[in-house]
Amino acid sequence: MIRLAIATLRRHRGAYAGTFVAALLAVALLAGGGLLLFSVLTAKPPADRFAATSAVVAGEREISLETVTTKHKKEGKTKVKRKVKTERLTGAGTLPVDLAGRIGAVPGVTGSVADYAFPVQATTGDGRPLRGADDAPVIGHGWASAVLTPYTMKNGNKPGAGEAVIDADLAARGHVAVGDELRVTTRTGARTVRVSGVAAPAGRDGLPAQGALFLADADVAAVSGLPGPTAVGIFGTADPARIRAAAGAADVLTGADRVRADLPGALPDYIGPISIFGFVIGITAFAAVFVLTGTVTLSVRQRLRELALLRAIGATPKQLRRILGLESVVLAAVAALPAAPLGALFAEVVAARFQTLGAVPAQFEVRANVPVLLLAAAAGVLVTFVAARIAGRRAVRIAPTQALVETATAPTGGLVVRVLAALVATAGAVAVLTFVPLDGPFGMGMSFISSALLLCAVAAAGPLLVRALTAVVARPFGLAGLVARAEYRRVSAVAVPLVLMFAINTVMLLNGALSSRLAGQEQAARQAPATAQVAGAGGLPLDAVRRLAAVPGVTGAAAQLPTRVIVAQGGKPEDYPAQGLLVTGTDAALDLGVVAGAYTADGFAASEALVRQYNWKVGDLVPLWLPDGQQQQLRLSMVYGRSRGFGDLVLPADLVAAHDPRGLVRTAGLRYTPGTDERIRAEFPGLRITPTLDAAPPGDASNQQGAWELMVVISLGFTAIAVVNTFAIAATARRREYADLRLIGATTPQLHRLAGAEAVVTVLVGLLLGAAVTGIVVGAFSVAQDGIFRVFVEPLTYAAMAGGVAALGLIAGFLPTRLMLRRRALASRV
């Protein structure tokens, strides 16, 4: 049976080329997406700052909550189930000041060093920002903690009061020498320090992903604002159990886990990339399975006459299904061989583009993994096999007598199964669009899921939908219309990839554009009361904002200090973007679109979406976890509506600055009288003052839109190839039909017009179905965002997508037929 399957593949190489291409691309996409997700899930910090230690005691780096559920069973038995949910902090919890001394007294400990780690904004004397490799942040420490890596002096001396030592990599990048001055800004203020020396770890100039700046130990507390160390490095061979007893509730980390004691801001953040690459593999997997299934089904359909002939000579349906299954396995396995390196190349290109967009850390590397490639190949083989078996269940029931006629048609049937599958998929899409809050953080992902479900419904009910549409669309096209109406199953098989190409990509583009537009509009509305937006290089300390607000002529100020806050519901901690807010003056400089209540300096505010999600009411006392893991009970005093590009929570700025290691104001809206800007520039020469009308849209929103556009490019590339491939398979299957038309007198121009008209009918059907899916999803997403129903969010984008899909469909439908209609090509097959 295997030899027969291989012989069939060798004999019909041209007929199987389309399926081979589809399988190759599908496996390549699955392999590339799998490698990206595997690489980000297993990504490790690029260096261990505690490499010289035997263990590290660290403050809180994550919040873990445990829920306990009890189920009562028969005979008086109960089942207790415990679940622990964890959320990573964006800051670092601190340790008691005397902890290093207590641990140093543990038998076997030869030394213990307290590490005060905190982010700093450093600029050279001429105002140039100092950053590490790949724009890495600069982390401040006390000089005593240099031995934890260890750093050793290359030149100069250890820092004294008002001095600093920087790593050699920072010195080279910033062209800083011993004796130069640096401007160092932290949450406690800005100060000038003199560079007393340059240090480096053994064998290198600095650590990847972070620059190091060491201050005198006596200066650390005042500069960092930390109440205690963020970690304690331990030397020696003490019993870990004794260290844990001395450390109390703090974590004791050994081996490879020591790197977790580093400041979160000093390590690359892979939380965002996990969701990005998860979405990438979701899109590619759906498109790959969708297209591969359709291609295999179409290739089986074009072999109906051959299957009928095998039935006529005694082959049983079971034998035919086995042959089709074996052929598909062999074909997909052969396609998987070149697909693996192609998938690795795809992963590298996608990762590089995401790094350029800033959506993925610059240190991210795609890691080759044989099991992932094998799983992708196995998935491609499995999908191809299942598709061939499903397609073969109906095809092999063909009557043996059809081998004697010129045209073989598949048995009808399966209508009930198709309708049921379409109804289930449609019900799922309606449920997602109706009950899932599309205006929340998962709105874009849910819109993709609803699109996928509707596309599955279109694929299941494709012949029925196409039959109804061609009855209307095909009427003006004469003979071509009659052929399309008679061969509605073939039209369906070719039109469905067009539906996929148009609907998936248009939904992502339009919904992404709508989200970015609404974020920009809300930012403009928030900032409208302010005269200008003021920002400093890297951020401003709160005391600088207060001095700004005190400049004569300034009548109002609203400073925003970005942070992250953890909220829990049902024992599950969730991390949300938030803002620390400082409001001064008599005139408002920020309009959040207040829905209920009023902002108070001792409470907090939340967005409408978050209040709805957690069922909060104004006046409720809510536990919140701040970036350093400290829990605060704050009362909800205000609900606001303009949260896009801003955050879901607003807390007092002083509270955030005290618990966020960065603690700097990103931007401050100022309201002032004419001429005040000149006084501000004179008193604060390093500030950037931008009139509110000229303020740029949120950077996060533009990066997100860039990421969506890259996903669209990935999807468009694959679906475009799938469309061309499907049309080519369909054209190849009609070689005998065109040859017969030529024999009864049809001219080549007539056949060209026939093929062109049929391509137009197919494209129209595909665009109508695609527009229906797009309209449903985009309309529901739009209503969820701001209550306005939109279908053509961006008419030019919509028209470009429709025109591009139509042009590709027409070219793909006409060109293969034109090539096949050459006299010599047809004559060889008559």
Side-chain angles (χ1 to χ4, degrees):
M1 192 70 74
I2 294 178
R3 284 191 296 175
L4 178 60
I6 295 175
T8 304
L9 291 174
R10 294 178 61 184
R11 175 69 179 84
H12 300 289
R13 290 188 297 270
Y16 285 104
T19 306
F20 177 84
V21 170
L24 184 147
L25 291 175
V27 173
L29 283 178
L30 292 172
L35 287 177
L36 287 171
L37 189 58
F38 167 80
S39 299
V40 76
L41 286 173
T42 58
K44 297 180 179 179
D48 183 4
R49 196 170 58 81
F50 302 97
T53 66
S54 58
V56 183
V57 177
E60 285 187 301
R61 296 297 188 270
E62 59 189 24
I63 295 297
S64 296
L65 299 178
E66 183 182 49
T67 57
V68 180
T69 56
T70 303
K71 290 185 178 180
H72 296 282
K73 295 188 173 182
K74 296 179 179 179
E75 301 177 357
K77 294 182 180 180
T78 59
K79 182 179 180 181
V80 178
K81 190 174 183 180
R82 300 177 183 272
K83 287 185 178 180
V84 177
K85 299 291 185 179
T86 301
E87 187 67 42
R88 182 181 173 185
L89 293 169
T90 54
T94 56
L95 301 168
V97 176
D98 64 344
L99 182 60
R102 286 191 276 122
I103 290 177
V106 173
V109 173
T110 59
S112 60
V113 178
D115 178 33
Y116 290 75
F118 55 97
V120 301
Q121 298 293 329
T123 55
T124 60
D126 56 1
R128 289 179 291 107
L130 202 60
R131 301 288 289 181
D134 299 319
D135 202 35
V138 178
I139 308 299
H141 309 275
W143 174 248
S145 65
V147 298
L148 301 177
T149 307
Y151 281 84
T152 55
M153 296 296 299
K154 293 189 68 174
N155 56 68
N157 302 300
K158 68 179 184 179
E163 294 180 333
V165 169
I166 62 174
D167 69 49
D169 183 65
L170 283 179
R173 292 177 183 279
H175 305 289
V176 177
V178 174
D180 290 349
E181 290 188 340
L182 297 175
R183 186 72 171 171
V184 174
T185 303
T186 66
R187 58 183 175 176
T188 62
R191 50 187 55 82
T192 300
V193 299
R194 188 182 73 85
V195 177
S196 66
V198 175
R204 62 179 99 181
D205 289 336
L207 294 181
Q210 57 177 291
L213 183 147
F214 297 95
L215 300 173
D217 294 309
D219 292 344
V220 168
V223 176
S224 68
L226 292 170
T230 55
V232 174
I234 302 170
F235 300 90
T237 58
D239 184 359
R242 292 187 174 185
I243 296 176
R244 290 188 179 90
D251 292 331
V252 179
L253 307 173
T254 59
D257 289 337
R258 290 171 302 174
V259 72
R260 291 168 43 204
D262 212 345
L263 192 69
L267 301 174
D269 183 10
Y270 290 105
I271 301 299
I274 288 174
S275 60
I276 289 174
F277 290 145
F279 200 82
V280 167
I281 196 171
I283 291 175
T284 55
F286 174 76
V289 172
F290 197 91
V291 170
L292 186 53
T293 302
T295 304
V296 172
T297 302
L298 185 61
S299 66
V300 171
R301 178 179 174 78
Q302 78 178 51
R303 297 178 59 195
L304 292 177
R305 182 177 174 80
E306 177 187 336
L307 295 174
L309 182 60
L310 291 173
R311 289 278 285 123
I313 61 175
T316 65
K318 183 178 180 180
Q319 289 174 324
L320 294 183
R321 285 196 296 269
R322 287 183 61 191
I323 290 175
L324 291 174
L326 286 172
E327 289 173 359
S328 67
V329 168
V330 172
L331 188 68
V334 172
L337 295 177
L342 187 62
L345 177 63
F346 165 76
E348 292 283 358
V349 172
V350 171
R353 181 55 184 157
F354 273 122
Q355 286 172 329
T356 303
L357 292 171
V360 174
Q363 296 79 23
F364 174 72
E365 294 182 355
V366 177
R367 298 171 55 200
N369 184 267
V370 174
V372 170
L373 297 177
L374 291 177
L375 283 173
V381 171
L382 180 62
V383 171
T384 307
F385 174 76
V386 172
R389 293 284 293 194
I390 292 174
R393 285 185 65 85
R394 291 175 55 246
V396 298
R397 294 201 302 267
I398 189 168
T401 54
Q402 290 206 33
L404 305 176
V405 299
E406 289 299 316
T407 303
T409 58
T412 59
L415 179 61
V416 175
V417 175
R418 283 183 173 275
V419 171
L420 285 177
L423 288 176
V424 170
T426 303
V430 171
V432 170
L433 295 174
T434 304
F435 300 110
V436 176
L438 298 178
D439 58 338
F442 304 109
M444 287 292 290
M446 291 299 105
S447 68
F448 167 73
I449 290 175
S450 58
S451 300
L453 288 170
L454 288 175
L455 284 169
C456 290
V458 169
L464 299 177
L465 296 172
V466 169
R467 188 174 188 178
L469 285 174
T470 52
V472 178
V473 172
R475 287 187 180 278
F477 293 92
L479 178 60
L482 292 174
V483 173
R485 291 167 64 184
E487 290 290 337
Y488 63 90
R489 291 183 179 275
R490 183 181 65 210
V491 174
S492 172
V494 179
V496 166
L498 287 173
V499 181
L500 172 70
M501 182 180 182
F502 181 75
I504 284 289
N505 298 300
T506 305
V507 165
M508 285 196 293
L509 277 178
L510 296 185
N511 285 355
L514 179 60
S515 296
S516 297
R517 182 200 303 175
L518 293 177
Q521 290 174 353
E522 287 196 2
Q523 175 178 274
R526 282 194 305 268
Q527 297 178 346
T531 309
Q533 302 297 316
V534 178
L540 295 171
L542 280 176
D543 66 333
V545 176
R546 289 190 170 95
R547 287 189 285 113
L548 264 174
V551 171
V554 175
T555 60
Q560 302 167 33
L561 197 158
T563 188
R564 308 285 299 192
V565 174
I566 293 176
V567 181
Q569 183 180 41
K572 183 180 181 181
E574 292 285 353
D575 174 75
Y576 292 97
Q579 297 283 348
L581 184 62
L582 174 66
V583 178
T584 64
T586 56
D587 294 334
L590 184 71
D591 184 1
L592 291 176
V594 177
V595 175
Y599 182 70
T600 59
D602 58 349
F604 81 101
S607 66
E608 277 187 292
L610 203 62
V611 168
R612 184 170 60 249
Q613 179 179 340
Y614 286 94
N615 296 316
W616 291 337
K617 295 182 177 63
V618 172
D620 286 353
L621 198 62
V622 179
L624 306 171
W625 285 266
L626 300 173
D628 61 356
Q630 292 292 312
Q631 188 188 74
Q632 293 284 329
Q633 297 274 348
L634 296 179
R635 198 170 299 279
L636 179 63
S637 62
M638 187 182 81
V639 180
Y640 59 94
R642 294 174 182 148
S643 61
R644 291 184 177 87
F646 180 79
D648 289 300
L649 293 163
V650 174
L651 284 72
D654 288 302
L655 178 65
V656 171
H659 293 276
D660 190 301
R662 189 167 183 270
L664 294 177
V665 172
R666 179 173 61 182
T667 183
L670 296 183
R671 193 164 175 178
Y672 51 74
T673 56
T676 306
D677 55 335
E678 298 300 328
R679 287 193 290 271
I680 295 174
R681 288 190 175 92
E683 190 171 342
F684 301 89
L687 293 184
R688 183 176 68 253
I689 303 176
T690 306
T692 295
L693 293 177
D694 298 332
D700 292 344
S702 60
N703 288 343
Q704 185 184 53
Q705 180 64 7
W708 283 119
E709 290 173 357
L710 177 56
M711 293 182 194
V712 168
V713 170
I714 296 170
S715 178
L716 268 176
F718 177 64
T719 51
I721 294 173
V723 166
V724 174
N725 189 40
T726 306
F727 271 98
I729 294 174
T732 303
R734 302 181 66 187
R735 186 186 300 272
R736 179 182 294 275
E737 176 184 339
Y738 286 127
D740 291 342
L741 290 172
R742 287 283 298 276
L743 288 174
I744 62 175
T747 64
T748 299
Q750 288 174 330
L751 294 181
H752 286 168
R753 288 194 295 271
L754 177 64
E758 290 182 19
V760 171
V761 172
T762 304
V763 167
L764 286 175
V765 169
L767 286 180
L768 287 173
L769 291 173
V773 173
T774 302
I776 293 170
V777 178
V778 173
F781 183 83
S782 176
V783 170
Q785 301 305 303
D786 60 357
I788 300 175
F789 180 81
R790 306 176 183 88
V791 174
F792 309 103
V793 173
E794 287 191 338
L796 289 178
T797 300
Y798 194 97
M801 279 298 303
V805 171
L808 180 65
L810 292 175
I811 293 172
F814 180 70
L815 189 59
T817 303
R818 184 179 182 88
L819 294 175
M820 189 178 60
L821 285 176
R822 292 178 303 177
R823 184 180 301 274
R824 184 176 301 172
L826 273 183
S828 65
R829 287 291 187 181
V830 174

